[in-house]
Amino acid sequence: MAEATPLYDTYARAPLRFERGEGVWLIAEDGTRYLDFAAGVAVNSLGHAHPHLVSALKNQADKVWHLSNLYEVPGQETLGARMTEATFADKVFFTNSGAEALECAIKTARRYHFAKGHPEKFHIITFEGAFHGRTLATIAAGGQAKYLEGFGPKAPGFYQVPFADIAALKEAITEETAAILIEPIQGEGGIRVASKEFLQELRALCDEYGLLLIFDEVQCGIGRTGKLFAYEATGIAPDIMAVAKGIGGGFPLGACLATQEAAAGMVAGTHGSTYGGNPLAMAVGNAVLDVVLEEGFLEHVRDIALVFRQGLASLKDRFPDVIEEVRGEGLMLGIKAKVPSADLLKAIRAERLLAVPAGENVIRLLPPLITSAAEAREGLARIERAAEQLTSVKQKASA
Ligand SMILES: Cc1ncc(COP(=O)(O)O)c(C=O)c1O
């Protein structure tokens, strides 16, 4: 019988207890060192205990922790200006999580049409396999039965079409459609990359029908693909974008970015958050950007991504009965397994490497963006040993 716990039983946690982190390493209570390519599900963008982040947080902690949004928060002005300067956006709303960034994105899109005299335009089209969070609106947007079941009627106004199916999408657009919402790279869905052409078609459709294009870059943003944001590789831009995870480097922080036009309906009183954009979060967010925007940093991400791509391609060739396909962009990588992905994840963990499960029998590698070439090779060597183990088990089974 499972041990009684005061915690909700919502998580199937691995029996690991970590005490501290150093760069790409997590150190368990018993001193065992794990190579952390889970990075708190793409959150620890700069690894653990990054000195610049630690000092930014400590410095702010000595000044003021929390103010609420009753007053001006200079850190918000700074981070907001840096994020709008670096992106398509003109306006930013700070949140504490990805789901809240999505909630703000959805509300922004609906208010845009409302303010233009079209309150009937509140429908959002999303894609199968999507994951946008666990609030009532974001489980409706994600559309996955396993997350919706038992929580009452699905929040109205969310319609889903198959991934990358432009014909189905056109069919789904009605007079009530407000926006199209997509992750440029589905994370939890199994590292499914939306092609540049598909995203360009979405932009064209939105322009044609007067819809807003919303990108969910909660997982793929902040340098993960080797660009600051994944959309930069497409030659087009969204109207609204949800960001979180990597921007806080481990401190709870999210943001909803929008063009001036898209955000026009979000006037005083239409949205709010007690904690969103608090001084501690702003200090860390600004410190993350100091590093990620440093010259050469994104180039480093692209170089390390190449080490992974080449290494994983060779592992796929050598272990075709374990690895079916390697997917992803930059340091957002997926290994589609031939064996049950839970077995691969377990074998990798036995080699003291941490990764994340995903849909479509895929395991995600989301290494910190500061991973060195030597650490990438060390991780690949651990995956190789895990694959060897699984191959020999498979061979024995079929002998
Ligand atoms: C693409 C995407 N959107 C939204 C979310 C929700 O973020 P949070 O868990 O911070 O609410 C996640 C979390 O995994 C995500 O990967």
Side-chain angles (χ1 to χ4, degrees):
M1 214 174 84
E3 223 176 285
T5 165
L7 306 177
Y8 262 41
D9 297 309
T10 46
Y11 300 113
R13 299 172 196 271
L16 293 170
R17 294 171 87 96
F18 295 110
E19 201 169 55
R20 82 205 144 78
E22 284 168 11
V24 299
W25 297 91
L26 271 175
I27 297 114
E29 283 176 353
D30 66 0
T32 315
R33 292 171 71 85
Y34 285 78
L35 194 47
D36 184 14
F37 287 179
V41 197
V43 166
N44 300 102
S45 46
L46 303 183
H48 300 280
H50 190 287
H52 187 58
L53 269 54
V54 172
S55 89
L57 186 63
K58 283 185 172 167
N59 283 341
Q60 186 60 47
D62 280 337
K63 294 180 190 162
V64 60
W65 291 22
H66 179 75
L67 291 164
S68 84
N69 287 297
L70 293 171
Y71 316 108
E72 292 181 6
V73 181
Q76 286 189 22
E77 303 282 339
T78 314
L79 186 55
R82 295 172 83 185
M83 291 185 82
T84 53
E85 198 157 298
T87 65
F88 71 95
D90 307 304
K91 306 289 269 182
V92 182
F93 183 94
F94 289 110
T95 70
N96 312 289
S97 69
E100 285 171 279
L102 264 302
E103 290 272 347
C104 180
I106 293 161
K107 287 177 78 173
T108 302
R110 288 179 171 178
R111 278 292 296 199
Y112 165 83
H113 292 289
F114 174 87
K116 290 182 83 171
H118 290 287
E120 77 285 0
K121 286 187 186 290
F122 67 94
H123 292 188
I124 315 273
I125 301 176
T126 67
F127 295 89
E128 281 173 12
F131 183 78
H132 299 296
R134 298 295 203 110
T135 60
L136 290 168
T138 55
I139 55 175
Q144 297 199 39
K146 65 180 175 183
Y147 297 141
L148 284 161
E149 189 184 36
F151 296 117
K154 185 179 143 192
F158 295 95
Y159 296 87
Q160 203 158 57
V161 296
F163 188 70
D165 186 337
I166 209 82
L169 176 66
K170 281 185 185 164
E171 192 99 334
I173 296 173
T174 70
E175 285 298 312
E176 293 172 323
T177 307
I180 297 172
L181 164 61
I182 187 166
E183 296 155 82
I185 304 176
Q186 283 190 350
E188 147 133 5
I191 311 291
R192 291 160 91 197
V193 182
S195 74
K196 181 172 152 178
E197 293 71 27
F198 181 67
L199 295 174
Q200 287 170 344
E201 280 194 81
L202 292 189
R203 180 70 272 172
L205 274 177
C206 284
D207 293 344
E208 188 183 340
Y209 290 94
L211 314 178
L212 295 175
L213 181 59
I214 309 173
F215 282 171
D216 178 347
E217 293 225 18
V218 165
Q219 193 164 148
C220 63
I222 310 294
R224 188 134 294 275
T225 61
K227 302 268 185 201
L228 185 60
F229 289 103
Y231 81 82
E232 292 170 35
T234 66
I236 55 113
D239 302 294
I240 303 172
M241 183 165 74
V243 177
K245 291 189 185 272
I247 184 64
F251 198 93
L253 171 58
C256 175
L257 279 65
T259 61
Q260 179 90 38
E261 195 192 351
M266 299 300 278
V267 296
T270 52
H271 197 46
S273 165
T274 299
Y275 290 112
N278 102 349
L280 291 173
M282 294 302 98
V284 179
N286 273 305
V288 167
L289 279 196
D290 289 344
V291 178
V292 173
L293 294 178
E294 227 167 61
E295 204 174 323
F297 185 85
L298 293 172
E299 200 179 339
H300 163 82
V301 173
R302 294 193 286 273
D303 288 348
I304 298 303
L306 211 59
V307 175
F308 275 106
R309 283 314 280 227
Q310 287 168 347
L312 290 172
S314 127
L315 290 179
K316 174 183 166 292
D317 289 345
R318 287 185 46 216
F319 302 102
D321 54 346
V322 176
I323 299 175
E324 184 175 322
E325 190 191 340
V326 177
R327 303 168 164 187
E329 292 286 340
L331 294 179
M332 186 169 177
L333 295 159
I335 302 175
K336 184 168 167 59
K338 262 278 179 57
V339 295
S341 59
D343 293 354
L344 182 57
L345 199 64
K346 210 167 143 202
I348 284 175
R349 194 183 296 148
E351 295 298 329
R352 293 171 188 165
L353 174 69
L354 303 172
V356 189
E360 297 201 332
N361 208 39
V362 167
I363 67 167
R364 278 175 278 181
L365 298 179
L366 303 162
L369 309 181
I370 51 140
T371 303
S372 69
E375 288 159 342
R377 281 191 285 271
E378 178 59 36
L380 290 162
R382 291 175 189 221
I383 298 169
E384 179 179 0
R385 291 202 293 273
E388 265 165 7
Q389 192 75 24
L390 289 170
T391 300
S392 66
V393 169
K394 245 187 152 177
Q395 280 164 355
K396 267 185 214 148
S398 60

